[in-house]
Amino acid sequence: MSEVKPMKVAFIGLGVMGYPMAGYLAKAGHKVTVYNRTRSKAEKWIKEFNGELAITPAAAAENKDVVFACVGNDDDLRQVTTGEQGAFSTMSEQSIFVDHTTTSATVATELANIAASKHIGFIDAPVSGGQAGAENGALTVMIGASEDNYEKVTHLVSCYAKMHKRLGPVGYGQLTKMVNQICIAGVVQGLSEALHFAQQSGLDGEAVVEVISKGAAQSWQMENRASTMLNNEFDFGFAVDWMRKDLGIVLDEARNNGSHLPLTALVDQFYSQVQHNGGGRFDTSSLITLLNKD
Ligand code: NAP
């Protein structure tokens, strides 16, 4: 059996997603250096996985084969790459930067161009699957990259992904993630209205879901969230604040490419109302709270 050669990698951003992803790289035998803005999280990670701690993105990225990031938004990504003490200032020629943050496609292209001028490769690789997917090493990863660069990182991405695919050049990973979020927005609103209707009708929501989840109405949201929605529990992963960031990116891109997204725009406004009601940290299934309140 051929052994995978351990690589020298860095991981920037040990949040809900990045912490376990970096852990899977270490468990696979790669030499991992981590950077996190709040140092205590990096110290905890080192205790658990035995890597090295860096105090800036630049220090983490120096002399690495591949540098990963999973931070918050476009500006955060700019900060850890091209900002003061950013990773691009020290990355070696021919090394590759893999970004797992959900960002605009515009920032991916912008940073890929800067990286190319330094002979650094850039891959946009947003993920789906939530906290559970990250903790179970079972994420779906949507990749925008050159074929060459993709080939060079597939064995690394496989450490925490059950599915990854190159969809086209840089930016196409983010565009695919936007398609993913458009699907989720519509499905969650539909499911919310369906469960609300069931409750108003005096039906047993759990029993209804047991039946219809075996038919054409089935969805991941129904399988994983219907029960908690019926119980008014909204602490199961992807937060409304993150979803609004993502839908903002989607609606900006739709203005650029001329697509019409009336339902997505409407659901974005519903999420804005959830935030206004104090539910920014609720998970995305909390749309139902707008229907159930009276
Ligand atoms: P999170 O728990 O808030 O972690 C964000 C990480 O980025 C933290 O390590 C944070 O450092 C770091 N960070 C943010 N801004 C920074 C900056 N300007 N400079 C340096 N570090 C910075 O978020 P998450 O849930 O892991 O999500 C990360 C990304 O994945 C987001 O783009 C999100 O949309 C996407 N995503 C999340 C999920 C999910 O279910 N959570 C699912 C799919 C995709 P500190 O520790 O100092 O705050």
mmCIF file with all atom_site columns, all heavy atoms in Angstrom, residues 9 15 19 25 32 81 115 140 152 163 179 246:
data_model
loop_
_atom_site.group_PDB
_atom_site.id
_atom_site.type_symbol
_atom_site.label_atom_id
_atom_site.label_alt_id
_atom_site.label_comp_id
_atom_site.label_asym_id
_atom_site.label_entity_id
_atom_site.label_seq_id
_atom_site.pdbx_PDB_ins_code
_atom_site.Cartn_x
_atom_site.Cartn_y
_atom_site.Cartn_z
_atom_site.occupancy
_atom_site.B_iso_or_equiv
_atom_site.pdbx_formal_charge
_atom_site.auth_seq_id
_atom_site.auth_comp_id
_atom_site.auth_asym_id
_atom_site.auth_atom_id
_atom_site.pdbx_PDB_model_num
ATOM 1  N N   . VAL A 1 9   ? 1.680   21.865 6.633  1.00 0.00 ? 9   VAL A N   1
ATOM 2  C CA  . VAL A 1 9   ? 0.530   22.715 6.348  1.00 0.00 ? 9   VAL A CA  1
ATOM 3  C C   . VAL A 1 9   ? 0.283   23.691 7.498  1.00 0.00 ? 9   VAL A C   1
ATOM 4  O O   . VAL A 1 9   ? 0.752   23.477 8.624  1.00 0.00 ? 9   VAL A O   1
ATOM 5  C CB  . VAL A 1 9   ? -0.754  21.878 6.096  1.00 0.00 ? 9   VAL A CB  1
ATOM 6  C CG1 . VAL A 1 9   ? -0.538  20.856 4.991  1.00 0.00 ? 9   VAL A CG1 1
ATOM 7  C CG2 . VAL A 1 9   ? -1.235  21.176 7.365  1.00 0.00 ? 9   VAL A CG2 1
ATOM 8  N N   . GLY A 1 15  ? -12.266 28.157 14.294 1.00 0.00 ? 15  GLY A N   1
ATOM 9  C CA  . GLY A 1 15  ? -13.626 28.338 14.809 1.00 0.00 ? 15  GLY A CA  1
ATOM 10 C C   . GLY A 1 15  ? -14.369 27.019 14.826 1.00 0.00 ? 15  GLY A C   1
ATOM 11 O O   . GLY A 1 15  ? -13.768 25.938 14.823 1.00 0.00 ? 15  GLY A O   1
ATOM 12 N N   . TYR A 1 19  ? -11.543 24.353 13.560 1.00 0.00 ? 19  TYR A N   1
ATOM 13 C CA  . TYR A 1 19  ? -10.907 23.576 14.637 1.00 0.00 ? 19  TYR A CA  1
ATOM 14 C C   . TYR A 1 19  ? -10.904 22.066 14.318 1.00 0.00 ? 19  TYR A C   1
ATOM 15 O O   . TYR A 1 19  ? -9.841  21.431 14.287 1.00 0.00 ? 19  TYR A O   1
ATOM 16 C CB  . TYR A 1 19  ? -11.623 23.883 15.959 1.00 0.00 ? 19  TYR A CB  1
ATOM 17 C CG  . TYR A 1 19  ? -10.964 23.358 17.207 1.00 0.00 ? 19  TYR A CG  1
ATOM 18 C CD1 . TYR A 1 19  ? -10.250 24.196 18.051 1.00 0.00 ? 19  TYR A CD1 1
ATOM 19 C CD2 . TYR A 1 19  ? -11.070 22.016 17.573 1.00 0.00 ? 19  TYR A CD2 1
ATOM 20 C CE1 . TYR A 1 19  ? -9.661  23.714 19.220 1.00 0.00 ? 19  TYR A CE1 1
ATOM 21 C CE2 . TYR A 1 19  ? -10.482 21.529 18.721 1.00 0.00 ? 19  TYR A CE2 1
ATOM 22 C CZ  . TYR A 1 19  ? -9.778  22.389 19.551 1.00 0.00 ? 19  TYR A CZ  1
ATOM 23 O OH  . TYR A 1 19  ? -9.192  21.906 20.706 1.00 0.00 ? 19  TYR A OH  1
ATOM 24 N N   . LEU A 1 25  ? -6.530  16.972 9.712  1.00 0.00 ? 25  LEU A N   1
ATOM 25 C CA  . LEU A 1 25  ? -5.237  17.004 8.991  1.00 0.00 ? 25  LEU A CA  1
ATOM 26 C C   . LEU A 1 25  ? -4.134  16.446 9.893  1.00 0.00 ? 25  LEU A C   1
ATOM 27 O O   . LEU A 1 25  ? -3.272  15.675 9.444  1.00 0.00 ? 25  LEU A O   1
ATOM 28 C CB  . LEU A 1 25  ? -4.908  18.442 8.567  1.00 0.00 ? 25  LEU A CB  1
ATOM 29 C CG  . LEU A 1 25  ? -5.771  19.006 7.433  1.00 0.00 ? 25  LEU A CG  1
ATOM 30 C CD1 . LEU A 1 25  ? -5.612  20.527 7.329  1.00 0.00 ? 25  LEU A CD1 1
ATOM 31 C CD2 . LEU A 1 25  ? -5.412  18.343 6.098  1.00 0.00 ? 25  LEU A CD2 1
ATOM 32 N N   . VAL A 1 32  ? 1.017   20.106 11.224 1.00 0.00 ? 32  VAL A N   1
ATOM 33 C CA  . VAL A 1 32  ? 0.087   21.244 11.161 1.00 0.00 ? 32  VAL A CA  1
ATOM 34 C C   . VAL A 1 32  ? 0.522   22.375 12.102 1.00 0.00 ? 32  VAL A C   1
ATOM 35 O O   . VAL A 1 32  ? 0.735   22.150 13.296 1.00 0.00 ? 32  VAL A O   1
ATOM 36 C CB  . VAL A 1 32  ? -1.351  20.810 11.535 1.00 0.00 ? 32  VAL A CB  1
ATOM 37 C CG1 . VAL A 1 32  ? -2.326  21.966 11.334 1.00 0.00 ? 32  VAL A CG1 1
ATOM 38 C CG2 . VAL A 1 32  ? -1.790  19.595 10.714 1.00 0.00 ? 32  VAL A CG2 1
ATOM 39 N N   . THR A 1 81  ? -4.768  37.295 4.690  1.00 0.00 ? 81  THR A N   1
ATOM 40 C CA  . THR A 1 81  ? -3.944  36.980 3.512  1.00 0.00 ? 81  THR A CA  1
ATOM 41 C C   . THR A 1 81  ? -3.044  38.148 3.131  1.00 0.00 ? 81  THR A C   1
ATOM 42 O O   . THR A 1 81  ? -1.817  38.031 3.142  1.00 0.00 ? 81  THR A O   1
ATOM 43 C CB  . THR A 1 81  ? -4.826  36.600 2.294  1.00 0.00 ? 81  THR A CB  1
ATOM 44 O OG1 . THR A 1 81  ? -5.822  37.617 2.125  1.00 0.00 ? 81  THR A OG1 1
ATOM 45 C CG2 . THR A 1 81  ? -5.476  35.254 2.480  1.00 0.00 ? 81  THR A CG2 1
ATOM 46 N N   . ALA A 1 115 ? -2.235  36.382 -5.388 1.00 0.00 ? 115 ALA A N   1
ATOM 47 C CA  . ALA A 1 115 ? -1.431  35.189 -5.132 1.00 0.00 ? 115 ALA A CA  1
ATOM 48 C C   . ALA A 1 115 ? -0.618  34.822 -6.375 1.00 0.00 ? 115 ALA A C   1
ATOM 49 O O   . ALA A 1 115 ? 0.586   34.525 -6.280 1.00 0.00 ? 115 ALA A O   1
ATOM 50 C CB  . ALA A 1 115 ? -2.338  34.029 -4.711 1.00 0.00 ? 115 ALA A CB  1
ATOM 51 N N   . THR A 1 140 ? -18.969 18.507 2.674  1.00 0.00 ? 140 THR A N   1
ATOM 52 C CA  . THR A 1 140 ? -19.009 18.596 1.211  1.00 0.00 ? 140 THR A CA  1
ATOM 53 C C   . THR A 1 140 ? -18.228 19.860 0.848  1.00 0.00 ? 140 THR A C   1
ATOM 54 O O   . THR A 1 140 ? -18.483 20.920 1.416  1.00 0.00 ? 140 THR A O   1
ATOM 55 C CB  . THR A 1 140 ? -20.469 18.725 0.727  1.00 0.00 ? 140 THR A CB  1
ATOM 56 O OG1 . THR A 1 140 ? -21.141 17.515 1.060  1.00 0.00 ? 140 THR A OG1 1
ATOM 57 C CG2 . THR A 1 140 ? -20.533 18.948 -0.772 1.00 0.00 ? 140 THR A CG2 1
ATOM 58 N N   . LYS A 1 152 ? -3.274  18.695 -6.443 1.00 0.00 ? 152 LYS A N   1
ATOM 59 C CA  . LYS A 1 152 ? -2.252  18.737 -5.388 1.00 0.00 ? 152 LYS A CA  1
ATOM 60 C C   . LYS A 1 152 ? -2.847  18.706 -3.982 1.00 0.00 ? 152 LYS A C   1
ATOM 61 O O   . LYS A 1 152 ? -2.143  18.387 -3.027 1.00 0.00 ? 152 LYS A O   1
ATOM 62 C CB  . LYS A 1 152 ? -1.393  20.000 -5.540 1.00 0.00 ? 152 LYS A CB  1
ATOM 63 C CG  . LYS A 1 152 ? -0.416  19.899 -6.708 1.00 0.00 ? 152 LYS A CG  1
ATOM 64 C CD  . LYS A 1 152 ? 0.410   21.172 -6.819 1.00 0.00 ? 152 LYS A CD  1
ATOM 65 C CE  . LYS A 1 152 ? 1.145   21.196 -8.141 1.00 0.00 ? 152 LYS A CE  1
ATOM 66 N NZ  . LYS A 1 152 ? 1.465   22.554 -8.605 1.00 0.00 ? 152 LYS A NZ  1
ATOM 67 N N   . MET A 1 163 ? -17.215 14.444 0.352  1.00 0.00 ? 163 MET A N   1
ATOM 68 C CA  . MET A 1 163 ? -17.416 14.760 -1.067 1.00 0.00 ? 163 MET A CA  1
ATOM 69 C C   . MET A 1 163 ? -16.675 16.049 -1.390 1.00 0.00 ? 163 MET A C   1
ATOM 70 O O   . MET A 1 163 ? -16.795 17.022 -0.655 1.00 0.00 ? 163 MET A O   1
ATOM 71 C CB  . MET A 1 163 ? -18.928 14.964 -1.308 1.00 0.00 ? 163 MET A CB  1
ATOM 72 C CG  . MET A 1 163 ? -19.276 15.611 -2.641 1.00 0.00 ? 163 MET A CG  1
ATOM 73 S SD  . MET A 1 163 ? -19.058 14.425 -3.970 1.00 0.00 ? 163 MET A SD  1
ATOM 74 C CE  . MET A 1 163 ? -19.253 15.418 -5.421 1.00 0.00 ? 163 MET A CE  1
ATOM 75 N N   . VAL A 1 179 ? -25.405 28.678 -4.856 1.00 0.00 ? 179 VAL A N   1
ATOM 76 C CA  . VAL A 1 179 ? -26.521 27.836 -5.317 1.00 0.00 ? 179 VAL A CA  1
ATOM 77 C C   . VAL A 1 179 ? -27.049 27.012 -4.143 1.00 0.00 ? 179 VAL A C   1
ATOM 78 O O   . VAL A 1 179 ? -28.271 26.896 -3.932 1.00 0.00 ? 179 VAL A O   1
ATOM 79 C CB  . VAL A 1 179 ? -26.059 26.909 -6.468 1.00 0.00 ? 179 VAL A CB  1
ATOM 80 C CG1 . VAL A 1 179 ? -27.168 25.960 -6.884 1.00 0.00 ? 179 VAL A CG1 1
ATOM 81 C CG2 . VAL A 1 179 ? -25.576 27.725 -7.665 1.00 0.00 ? 179 VAL A CG2 1
ATOM 82 N N   . ASP A 1 246 ? -24.388 35.157 3.913  1.00 0.00 ? 246 ASP A N   1
ATOM 83 C CA  . ASP A 1 246 ? -24.347 34.370 2.672  1.00 0.00 ? 246 ASP A CA  1
ATOM 84 C C   . ASP A 1 246 ? -25.395 34.848 1.670  1.00 0.00 ? 246 ASP A C   1
ATOM 85 O O   . ASP A 1 246 ? -25.115 34.942 0.462  1.00 0.00 ? 246 ASP A O   1
ATOM 86 C CB  . ASP A 1 246 ? -24.577 32.883 2.976  1.00 0.00 ? 246 ASP A CB  1
ATOM 87 C CG  . ASP A 1 246 ? -23.409 32.271 3.741  1.00 0.00 ? 246 ASP A CG  1
ATOM 88 O OD1 . ASP A 1 246 ? -22.451 33.010 4.059  1.00 0.00 ? 246 ASP A OD1 1
ATOM 89 O OD2 . ASP A 1 246 ? -23.448 31.059 4.018  1.00 0.00 ? 246 ASP A OD2 1
#
